[in-house]
Amino acid sequence: MRYITFALAKGRLAKETMALLSKIGINCEEMEDKTTRKLLFVNEELKCQFFLAKGPDVPTYVEYGAADIGVVGKDTILEEDRKCYEVLDLGFGKCRMCVCGPKDAEELLKHHEMIKVATKYPKIAKDYFYNKKHQTVDIIKLNGSVELAPIVGLSHVIVDIVETGSTLRENGLQVLEEVCPLSARMIVNRVSMRMEYERINEIILKIKKELS
Ligand code: PRP
């Protein structure tokens, strides 16, 4: 039997995923050693292996079949736009993709002005402004701490993830528009879905049952 390989987005999502998987009998003892520098973890008995990757790389591993299954945020799935099946909403990692800014930027969104939008998610931002709002904007790609942009005058607004809203509040910004809700999703390689249908479908069904 060949291994079923899981690619997990490093950090909190990976921890929550392993907790969920352990409830359906899929675990990996090797992974619990926090001091290890190992990258690939195996459960020989279950013929499963697991690796942790940077979130945006998870859909890439899954598209190319280096991983059969991936768990990553919907934000990353939308932004990376890779060819794979999204099979489950895992219900954790819930947050929202929003257009945010100072209160006075609200007016700029109403009148289709040519504004500057800073974001880690240029594809999502472009899709929202161009295709949904039909507003031409200047999108500026950043790599993090995006809330800084309107404060220091790099952009009028941002498109970013809002979870508790405390980063916005502490920086004098607010949600101006909601782009879409987000949460952790399970994705599957398109060929694996056919070739390993039984094993993968069993995992999906067990998780669905666990979540219901
Ligand atoms: C994310 C996001 C916001 C913040 C939202 O940033 O980009 O900045 O969390 O959370 P809150 O609504 O609970 O305050 P992250 O911590 O991932 O770091 P980053 O700024 O480097 O992207």
Side-chain angles (χ1 to χ4, degrees), residues 14-178:
K15 279 183 209 135
E16 297 211 40
T17 305
M18 290 314 289
L20 177 62
L21 288 177
S22 79
K23 288 186 188 161
I24 62 156
I26 298 177
N27 59 351
C28 187
E29 224 172 278
E30 272 195 316
M31 259 177 126
E32 280 150 33
D33 173 7
K34 298 295 166 233
T35 59
T36 183
R37 301 290 293 167
K38 258 183 100 160
L39 296 170
L40 187 65
F41 305 95
V42 185
N43 182 326
E44 281 299 343
E45 209 182 313
L46 298 175
K47 285 282 177 222
C48 285
Q49 52 186 15
F50 307 84
F51 65 83
L52 303 176
K54 286 261 186 194
D57 295 337
V58 168
T60 312
Y61 284 106
V62 175
E63 179 183 294
Y64 285 92
D68 301 293
I69 295 176
V71 176
V72 70
K74 180 68 177 174
D75 49 317
T76 305
I77 294 172
L78 291 171
E79 187 61 28
E80 295 302 314
D81 199 20
R82 291 286 178 177
K83 295 186 191 73
C84 34
Y85 297 131
E86 186 185 317
V87 295
L88 272 180
D89 182 342
L90 299 176
F92 52 79
K94 277 201 169 124
C95 48
R96 300 183 291 156
M97 185 65 74
C98 297
V99 180
C100 313
K103 185 158 177 43
D104 58 14
E106 224 163 10
E107 280 304 304
L108 303 172
L109 296 170
K110 283 189 196 142
H111 306 298
H112 289 82
E113 304 221 20
M114 175 72 189
I115 52 169
K116 291 197 176 87
V117 180
T119 186
K120 250 167 86 170
Y121 302 91
K123 186 176 181 305
I124 295 175
K126 194 172 168 196
D127 183 57
Y128 180 71
F129 278 102
Y130 283 62
N131 300 333
K132 208 159 170 193
K133 288 191 52 126
H134 307 290
Q135 180 172 3
T136 308
V137 296
D138 183 5
I139 292 169
I140 303 168
K141 161 92 192 270
L142 289 177
N143 294 296
S145 304
V146 179
E147 290 84 356
L148 255 179
I151 300 174
V152 298
L154 177 67
S155 71
H156 299 92
V157 296
I158 61 174
V159 168
D160 199 19
I161 291 173
V162 179
E163 193 182 350
T164 61
S166 59
T167 312
L168 290 179
R169 269 192 303 278
E170 287 188 32
N171 291 288
L173 305 173
Q174 64 185 62
V175 171
L176 302 173
E177 289 174 358
E178 181 175 319

